[in-house]
Amino acid sequence: MHNRKLDVCLSPELFHLYDHKDRVVIVTDILRATSCMTTAMAYGVNSITPVATVEECIELQNSGMICAAERGGEKVEGFELDNSPYSYMNPDLRGQDIGVTTTNGTMAITKSADALQVLAGSFLNISALADYLKTVDSDLLIFCAGWKGKFNLEDTLFAGALANMLSDSHEAECDAVLASGMLYDQVKDDLQNALKDSSHVQRLKRLNIDKDIAFCLTRDEYQAIPVLKDGKLVLLK
Ligand code: 3SL
């Protein structure tokens, strides 16, 4: 194996500063897009087509796909599914191909689509992800979806957690790796408390979506890792 490097991009506005094309990119949107995608794969959804815009999602829906659409935390009117991991714990969705658009997560995935490989990361699959990444002979970029271009705490904590798990196998590049790792170490014993005043937790609480928060912060619920293949997320085998 070559001497592998790891970088962290803390917001989509910084993405242009990073080389991503020859790397494995791990996109994360802890609340809640990549947590939903992980859950969907774990529950046997066949594929998820992530699209950046509501218009593209309407096209997928018109082609007969079951679709999920979220903006500002809420389900977009006219779509069947919202962006809650609990909505994917549904046996009727087993084997289905689903189209999804979310405020930040699907945009981050489409931005990194020309990378060597794109994976969806969450606390729900963090150990499976770390174990897999240790076996891959490529440099890595953890890409935090943030909120409308801004930094967010939950994605940063995930980046730090994963970076710390890879510290023996990968060399840290920019200070975002160190900063996110230090931050995670400070609060790892109580992520919910650390995030209680964060903007998206407050937003979800205002919308009465509290139960998703605790679930999305649960570590190692699943082994499933979503990987982007020909524009669709499927289960990494
Ligand atoms: O921004 C996103 O991609 C969503 O995950 C936001 S929400 O948690 O559904 O509000």
Side-chain angles (χ1 to χ4, degrees):
M1 284 249 194
H2 85 289
N3 185 18
R4 294 168 294 169
K5 295 183 187 135
L6 165 68
D7 222 336
V8 168
C9 172
L10 291 173
S11 121
E13 293 295 314
L14 300 172
F15 190 64
H16 66 280
L17 301 174
Y18 293 83
D19 289 329
H20 69 278
K21 290 193 181 164
D22 57 349
R23 289 181 184 236
V24 174
V25 175
I26 304 99
V27 176
T28 190
D29 187 323
I30 293 302
L31 298 173
R32 298 163 288 167
T34 56
S35 300
C36 285
M37 291 159 182
T38 308
T39 304
M41 291 292 131
Y43 273 78
V45 164
N46 186 54
S47 74
I48 293 178
T49 304
V51 289
T53 65
V54 172
E55 290 69 28
E56 289 167 284
C57 209
I58 291 173
E59 277 179 34
L60 294 180
Q61 185 163 255
N62 289 343
S63 76
M65 249 186 207
I66 299 172
C67 285
E70 166 277 331
R71 284 295 179 274
E74 298 187 278
K75 178 155 87 93
V76 179
E77 222 182 287
F79 288 90
E80 192 167 334
L81 291 171
D82 60 12
N83 194 36
S84 167
Y86 290 101
S87 300
Y88 289 92
M89 298 175 189
N90 174 354
D92 293 347
L93 297 180
R94 255 193 114 71
Q96 298 282 359
D97 298 302
I98 294 176
V100 178
T101 187
T102 68
T103 310
N104 308 283
T106 57
M107 187 265 293
I109 292 173
T110 56
K111 250 182 188 283
S112 39
D114 55 352
L116 204 56
Q117 188 177 48
V118 181
L119 306 171
S122 65
F123 284 110
L124 299 170
N125 66 359
I126 191 167
S127 292
L129 204 50
D131 290 347
Y132 168 70
L133 293 169
K134 283 178 195 164
T135 69
V136 175
D137 192 13
S138 306
D139 296 337
L140 308 177
L141 177 64
I142 306 173
F143 180 15
C144 299
W147 183 262
K148 297 187 178 174
K150 293 183 179 172
F151 170 99
N152 82 21
L153 195 51
E154 63 274 16
D155 297 347
T156 304
L157 289 175
F158 169 82
L162 185 59
N164 289 353
M165 291 167 94
L166 297 169
S167 60
D168 289 340
S169 53
H170 292 73
E171 182 193 323
E173 287 188 279
C174 84
D175 287 356
V177 182
L178 307 179
S180 58
M182 286 178 198
L183 199 59
Y184 177 73
D185 268 344
Q186 294 279 319
V187 299
K188 63 184 173 197
D189 295 331
D190 195 350
L191 292 179
Q192 252 186 280
N193 186 48
L195 286 165
K196 69 180 187 319
D197 297 325
S198 67
S199 58
H200 200 44
V201 162
Q202 291 296 321
R203 188 177 297 112
L204 292 175
K205 283 191 170 162
R206 281 195 297 276
L207 296 169
N208 291 318
I209 317 182
D210 305 37
K211 74 177 190 330
D212 290 10
I213 300 166
F215 183 74
C216 292
L217 299 178
T218 309
R219 294 175 189 84
D220 297 331
E221 190 72 14
Y222 306 123
Q223 291 294 311
I225 301 174
V227 58
L228 196 66
K229 287 251 161 74
D230 301 325
K232 289 174 189 287
L233 290 163
V234 294
L235 188 64
L236 179 76
K237 300 232 167 88

